Amino acid sequence: MASVRRRGTTATALLTLLLTATACGPVTDRQATRLPVGYDSLDGSLAVWPARGGLTGDAAATAAVTTAVRDWRSPVDDRAHLPSSGILFSGQVGGTPLALVAADVPGESASWLLQLTRDGDRWTISHATEYTDPGYLVYSDVLPVQLPDGRHYLTSARVERLLGPDGRALPTADGLTGPVAVPACRAAALTATLRPTRSLPRGRAADRLLDLGTATADPRYPLVRDETGSGRRALTGLDTCVLAGEQGPFGSIPRRIGDQDAPRSTPESWPMAKLAVRSLGEVAHGGGEPADLEQLSWESATGTMTAVVYRPADGGTPVVSPADRSTTLQAYLLPVPGRPLAVLNWRANRDASFAAPPGTSRLVDRPGLVVVPQPARKQTFSLAGTEKTWYRSVGGR
């Protein structure tokens, strides 16, 4: 996650600077034995994450939540640093005890949102999601909460109003919304209005987010920043459960720690911001009407990712490729039923020369895009520039 913090967005960087300059963050003894209640982050004079919920003053509840968080381990066995973490909410929701903790995990330079429920006198962690947007979790303004009655959101004190997927304002109590109708496997749009603060002197009328659906599995964080609204357009008609699968764009590049895959961690290809789509053209397939080819792009914790989307002309189920890290010559495998395809894509210019193996059948062949039937054996394609040649191999097993 370190690369994410180095690339933090302008707004996040400004807020980070402000919070640092005003000596914000949990101000507590580094040897603290209990989690701070609330998070001592200020935006000017505004407490961004004050303590919320009817149990914030309950010492026994705080102690039990602290014990649960102290015992918790991330998928790579790192633990939370209690003094730089904080209880954002502790109270009753619909008669059910709920605690939300922003947990700082220094070992993997990550922030986690821990959701706890009470079982007798003990509190247990029911959800643990890794925050993949730039910066710390507490620099966000909307946090997802999954309860038996559906999706809820905890909002920071900067949020004046939060609009749900239907464009209507969501009622909140103690910073927590009521249940929101978010589908399991479809993206849902949220829009927050932020009040004027020191870091945002004019506030922000439309701080846009996408919720990737309630079926998003831990530790994957379901909220993606969508500042321009391009992500909402890009995901229209797409099944986010398919996108998140092991062969889908968002789930196909596993996290690596050292020289090994970490399958229980958030994939390196998981989106955090700047989802967008652009048309690549059409491809005729099986004698029917040409299908549309699109290129999906997004920012992950480790850089820009891309994939291709095949949209059948008859409005059938779209087909998506695994992710490919953004590079000069992109290569994708599209598992189109009955006839898998390989797609090679690059930014066309007159100095670039593309070459395919002799005898390759090209379904599409134009500057910047070549589509071929997926080769049974591995084949290598190349793109020669003025000073460098790029090679990509596709096909085979």
Side-chain angles (χ1 to χ4, degrees), residues 220 244-270 300 302 305 322-323 325:
R220 301 169 180 189
E246 290 185 2
Q247 297 303 312
F250 299 161
S252 54
I253 301 181
R255 179 87 158 267
R256 291 187 65 82
I257 298 176
D259 59 353
Q260 295 184 337
D261 288 347
R264 294 172 57 230
S265 296
T266 301
E268 291 191 9
S269 47
W270 192 253
S300 77
T302 57
M305 301 283 173
R325 298 180 191 277

Side-chain angles (χ1 to χ4, degrees), residues 138-154:
V138 289
Y139 294 168
S140 183
D141 290 294
V142 180
L143 305 179
V145 181
Q146 187 60 31
L147 297 175
D149 61 351
R151 179 76 90 213
H152 297 242
Y153 300 99
L154 183 69

Side-chain angles (χ1 to χ4, degrees), residues 46 52 140-142 155-164 167-170 172 177 189-197 200 202-209 225:
L46 179 70
R52 263 86 163 260
S140 183
D141 290 294
V142 180
T155 60
S156 81
R158 275 194 298 263
V159 176
E160 283 189 331
R161 184 177 65 164
L162 182 64
L163 303 182
R168 297 180 180 179
L170 298 174
T172 63
T177 73
L190 305 168
T191 305
T193 300
L194 305 183
R195 60 173 42 89
T197 61
L200 293 170
R202 298 182 180 179
R204 184 173 293 163
D207 197 42
R208 298 183 180 90
L209 298 164
R225 295 200 63 81

Side-chain angles (χ1 to χ4, degrees), residues 214-237:
T214 58
T216 301
D218 290 353
R220 301 169 180 189
Y221 197 84
L223 296 188
V224 178
R225 295 200 63 81
D226 189 29
E227 294 180 4
T228 66
S230 63
R232 183 178 184 178
R233 295 189 294 272
L235 297 187
T236 298

